[in-house]
Amino acid sequence: MKCKVCRQDAVISLRAYNSALCARDFISFLENRVLKTINGYRLIDSNDRLLVAVSGGKDSLSLWYILNRLGYHADGMYIHLGIEGYSDLSLEKVKKMSDMIKRPVYIFHLKDAMGKGIDMISKKIKRTTCSACGMIKRYIMNRACLDKGYNVMVTGHNLDDEASALLGNFLYWKEEYLWKKGVELKEEEGHLSKKIKPLFLCSEREMAAYAILSGIDYIHDECPFSVGAKSLLYKEILNRIEDESPGTKLQFLKGYLKFTRRLKLEKTQREMKYCNLCGYPTAGEKCNFCRIMEKHGISGGIGFEEYKYGDLLNS
Ligand code: AMP
Ligand code: FES
Ligand code: ZN
């Protein structure tokens, strides 16, 4: 198998693109793809301040690295969920990347803030670990952005994450979420930061190859609570379809984006409310996060530790 660009030995075949590439050309192909996604969907404005949510996994660490290689000044934020044997190791990888690209990372320690890790909190609030975790992560990511003066939250969701989430929303006709999925979610001054997903069109396999070929040290294990998650089943099924018909996942997502852009959706006329404690958008008087904080008897603000490649400063 020869590289389609330089005819040297290829290291990866890209059946969706009917191509094969050597390490060097694959790295520039992938970085170019991210740049094309950013420009094509106009994800970033010149005066935007970017904060990347990094989990320690291949996608978000590679994304942080790529953005900085592309010339964007992007800082990081990490949420330590207090998962034994997993969170400490992920944080190590995040700090390593921070050292490598010389960008600071804000760290939120769930146990310090709430006195418990995500497993205990989810039990207490009677939600599955993943659902409690998702809610808390969304809130903390947004808070980090607003509190630290960034206006764009960048996440490492890849093609497989998005395609499987979309499939799940279709299968159960979750109308509320179905039309909201996108490469970008708008910002709302003072309440919500803009959220973008520049890896939307890069597959999990491509991201793993990129991380390995670029020497990025990432956590290979999945979160222990993700075992048996439906999203993993959907990913498996989509991969079987992809094997038979390369390019299907890309078509699925690109088609969806085109369709939702054309569709003039009637916005559900729901009155927008904001949490009377923190200002986060909510359907009730207080947002879910503040309600949980109250339940745990925790008052005071959310604090982030700032890791500045090498030393730790409290902020
Ligand atoms: P997941 O929900 O685990 O599939 O992760 C999706 C994206 O959310 C990742 O690519 C990261 O950008 C972000 N993310 C996940 N977990 C964390 C975390 N513990 N801290 C910061 N960002 C995270
Ligand atoms: Fe949230 Fe595993 S990362 S439950
Ligand atoms: Zn609130």
Side-chain angles (χ1 to χ4, degrees), residues 142-263:
N142 195 54
R143 273 297 285 272
C145 243
L146 298 181
D147 291 2
K148 299 293 173 187
Y150 298 85
N151 69 315
V152 182
M153 185 82 249
V154 191
T155 62
H157 292 95
N158 62 33
L159 174 65
D160 296 59
D161 295 329
E162 293 302 294
S164 87
L166 190 56
L167 179 61
N169 287 345
F170 271 120
L171 288 176
Y172 293 96
W173 281 100
K174 293 188 186 163
E175 287 189 42
E176 198 188 332
Y177 303 111
L178 197 50
W179 311 119
K180 269 209 266 175
K181 281 211 95 35
V183 70
E184 170 191 44
L185 290 174
K186 295 272 178 258
E187 95 187 88
E188 215 183 287
E189 198 71 53
H191 299 290
L192 283 179
S193 52
K194 180 165 95 174
K195 293 186 183 56
I196 62 169
K197 302 170 187 170
L199 300 184
F200 202 80
L201 300 178
C202 302
S203 73
E204 201 146 303
R205 178 173 166 269
E206 287 158 8
M207 291 318 298
Y210 180 89
I212 291 165
L213 294 172
S214 302
I216 293 171
D217 185 13
Y218 64 90
I219 185 155
H220 290 251
D221 298 335
E222 294 281 347
C223 164
F225 297 112
S226 69
V227 177
K230 281 256 180 73
S231 58
L232 296 181
L233 172 67
Y234 299 153
K235 280 184 183 180
E236 227 178 277
I237 290 166
L238 285 163
N239 278 338
R240 279 181 54 196
I241 301 174
E242 183 77 17
D243 267 352
E244 291 290 325
S245 318
T248 303
K249 281 187 284 194
L250 268 175
Q251 285 309 319
F252 184 37
L253 275 192
K254 279 182 161 176
Y256 168 80
L257 279 183
K258 227 174 166 176
F259 180 69
T260 49
R261 283 188 163 197
R262 256 191 292 128
L263 205 67

Side-chain angles (χ1 to χ4, degrees), residues 81 83 86 118 129-130 133-134 137 223-226:
L81 294 157
I83 302 173
Y86 181 75
I118 192 63
T129 317
C130 286
C133 171
K137 280 198 296 202
C223 164
F225 297 112
S226 69

Side-chain angles (χ1 to χ4, degrees), residues 53-55 59-60 77-79 81 137 141 154-157 161:
V54 275
S55 64
D59 305 299
S60 49
M77 73 87 56
Y78 172 75
I79 301 166
L81 294 157
K137 280 198 296 202
M141 285 178 193
V154 191
T155 62
H157 292 95
D161 295 329

Side-chain angles (χ1 to χ4, degrees), residues 11 107 124 152 163 280:
V11 295
I107 304 158
K124 184 128 191 180
V152 182
Y280 195 73

Side-chain angles (χ1 to χ4, degrees), residues 139 275 278 280 287 290:
Y139 182 88
C275 171
C278 75
Y280 195 73
C287 73
C290 287

Side-chain angles (χ1 to χ4, degrees), residues 258-307:
K258 227 174 166 176
F259 180 69
T260 49
R261 283 188 163 197
R262 256 191 292 128
L263 205 67
K264 294 266 176 285
L265 289 168
E266 275 176 39
K267 285 218 170 98
T268 37
Q269 294 295 325
R270 209 176 63 180
E271 196 200 335
M272 207 49 178
K273 282 192 188 168
Y274 300 99
C275 171
N276 57 25
L277 294 176
C278 75
Y280 195 73
T282 173
E285 297 300 315
K286 289 175 198 156
C287 73
N288 276 339
F289 185 86
C290 287
R291 271 199 298 110
I292 295 167
M293 293 283 276
E294 252 188 5
K295 210 165 173 173
H296 286 256
I298 299 147
S299 53
I302 303 290
F304 294 92
E305 199 174 16
E306 187 179 346
Y307 176 77

